Amino acid sequence: PYGNEGMGYDNFVCVESVAFTPVQLGAGEKWVGTMSLVPEPIPTAANLKVDEGGLEYAELTHPSGASAKVFTYGADVTSYVDASGTEWIAVRPDAKMDGSKPISGGLSHCFPQFGPGAIQQHGFARNVDWTVHSISESSVTYELTPSDYTRAMWDKPFKCLFTVTLKEDCLDTELVVENTGSAEAFDFQAALHSYFDISSIKNTSVGGSFSGKTFLNKMLDPPAEQVEERSEITIAEEYDRVYAGVNDPVLKDSGKGKQLKIVNSAGWKDTVLWNPYGNEGM
């Protein structure tokens, strides 16, 4: 009753649950109406902030104390702090955080190409603004669709949805790639070029089903395939290796006294190990 002061209109609103269309109830039948009231934070730009470099990011929080930071530029997760306060994601100290180039660090997207190839290195998904599709206190979904910039390199009808969900004991990500065309199929590559924070490379090893697997050693000239003999990898030199068929890596950090399981439950079939060992500039 807007404007009717006697009704106290300024302090309530009716949003009524109604069976407006007549319900026909047969003999012996029952009709049930159920309603639940679920308080939630308003999923608006309240969780979107602007970094010192001028880039927008989503700040995710969980009641457990865990937090995450995801940039709209590149849909890049640049921080995941678990409930006990341990940071797991790294950003390189020389990273440009102003949109002038891809963010060097985080869970950086390589799409629709990984590495060098027909288009620019690692594709274009990491150096364009995505669109915030939906957001809440603990989850955000970004969307990427073709633009004039992407079509000039890769003229395919696609849509990418990337969802980051912060939970009590983990950070979940999901990348969905859809062919939105009506006829033509296309091939693509994708990767999360993930930089993980460690106490020291000397304290770190990577476990998983590496033993007996073929890997491409890109540090050789020319690059060549070799067979891994170890089940747990330690790094004491510059590494750039592609392990085909390994998707269960476990990052073990004795300095932190913790390990990080990278659980690839769908899509991601291979693992790359990269570290510019001894290169202080990196």
Side-chain angles (χ1 to χ4, degrees), residues 110-180:
C110 302
F111 175 87
Q113 176 181 290
F114 178 69
I119 63 175
Q120 67 187 20
Q121 174 90 353
H122 291 327
F124 49 72
R126 64 186 187 143
N127 63 287
V128 294
D129 281 319
W130 294 48
T131 301
V132 177
H133 182 270
S134 62
I135 187 170
S136 68
E137 283 291 314
S138 58
S139 182
V140 63
T141 298
Y142 290 95
E143 179 177 291
L144 181 64
T145 54
S147 65
D148 290 343
Y149 174 74
T150 67
R151 290 188 190 96
M153 283 181 275
W154 196 67
D155 191 10
K156 305 296 181 184
F158 73 91
K159 180 171 74 173
C160 294
L161 290 176
F162 181 59
T163 300
V164 181
T165 304
L166 189 62
K167 297 183 177 179
E168 180 178 0
D169 58 353
C170 65
L171 181 78
D172 288 348
T173 69
E174 180 186 62
L175 176 64
V176 177
V177 180
E178 179 183 355
N179 182 341
T180 58

Side-chain angles (χ1 to χ4, degrees), residues 192-225:
L192 287 178
H193 196 313
S194 306
Y195 291 68
F196 292 112
D197 182 87
I198 55 176
S199 62
S200 169
I201 194 65
K202 298 177 178 64
N203 298 332
T204 304
S205 63
V206 183
S209 55
F210 292 99
S211 181
K213 296 295 175 62
T214 299
F215 66 92
L216 177 65
N217 190 344
K218 297 172 73 175
M219 296 306 302
L220 299 179
D221 187 15
E225 290 189 343

Side-chain angles (χ1 to χ4, degrees), residues 46-60:
N47 297 334
L48 292 175
K49 301 183 178 182
V50 177
D51 195 67
E52 292 178 358
L55 296 181
E56 180 184 78
Y57 67 93
E59 184 176 67
L60 306 182

Side-chain angles (χ1 to χ4, degrees), residues 229-244:
E229 298 179 351
R230 300 166 295 173
S231 59
E232 190 162 314
I233 310 298
T234 54
I235 296 175
E237 60 182 340
E238 188 172 355
Y239 259 51
D240 193 356
R241 300 182 176 189
V242 182
Y243 288 86

Side-chain angles (χ1 to χ4, degrees), residues 7-66:
M7 296 287 285
Y9 71 90
D10 194 44
N11 299 112
F12 73 89
V13 63
C14 291
V15 182
E16 304 172 21
S17 302
V18 181
F20 186 75
T21 302
V23 178
Q24 187 177 71
L25 204 62
E29 295 180 342
K30 293 189 294 185
W31 179 90
V32 178
T34 63
M35 181 183 73
S36 298
L37 302 181
V38 184
E40 292 182 333
I42 297 176
T44 66
N47 297 334
L48 292 175
K49 301 183 178 182
V50 177
D51 195 67
E52 292 178 358
L55 296 181
E56 180 184 78
Y57 67 93
E59 184 176 67
L60 306 182
T61 57
H62 189 273
S64 65

